[in-house]
Amino acid sequence: MAISFNAIGQSHVSFSAAESAKAGQVCKLTANGTVGACAEGESFCGVVTDVRGGVAAVTMSGFVELPYTGTAPAVGYQTLAADSAGGVKTVTTGGRSLLVVQVDSANGTVGVFL
């Protein structure tokens, strides 16, 4: 029997979408009520799940799977920040401390609770 964390504790919020907001990528606030892409090393507020008609649906809490670059994060609490590709990377300064519950190094993904 496989363990699945999919959708546990997720909450979604609608924001205006900056042109840089892309589904499946981490995001930050870029203006009042507006989210867009993060730059390398920036802290992120959530994950864009969909963009339609200038509105972005953003997962703000709960379990998400994200692509990572660099060294694979370890399970447990890790400090993660945005990478340059819309995913995350492990950092020693800045970023967010998040609970990493699964790491798939073959596919370059990490499962975290926001």
Side-chain angles (χ1 to χ4, degrees), residues 4-24:
S4 174
F5 299 106
N6 289 340
I8 293 175
Q10 283 187 344
S11 68
H12 303 273
V13 177
S14 296
F15 289 91
S16 291
E19 202 169 299
S20 62
K22 304 285 186 245

Side-chain angles (χ1 to χ4, degrees), residues 32-61:
N32 288 336
T34 304
V35 294
C38 294
E40 174 91 13
E42 286 187 319
S43 193
F44 55 96
C45 66
V47 180
V48 177
T49 56
D50 195 20
V51 178
R52 284 190 218 170
V55 176
V58 178
T59 302
M60 299 292 294
S61 64

Side-chain angles (χ1 to χ4, degrees), residues 26-28 38 42-47 64 66 80-82 87-89 95-96 98 112 114:
V26 295
C27 63
K28 67 176 182 179
C38 294
E42 286 187 319
S43 193
F44 55 96
C45 66
V47 180
V64 294
L66 298 166
L80 303 175
V88 295
K89 66 179 189 173
R96 297 177 61 179
L98 298 171
V112 302
L114 297 175

Side-chain angles (χ1 to χ4, degrees), residues 77-93:
Y77 280 95
Q78 301 297 320
T79 305
L80 303 175
D83 66 11
S84 60
V88 295
K89 66 179 189 173
T90 305
V91 293
T92 55
T93 59

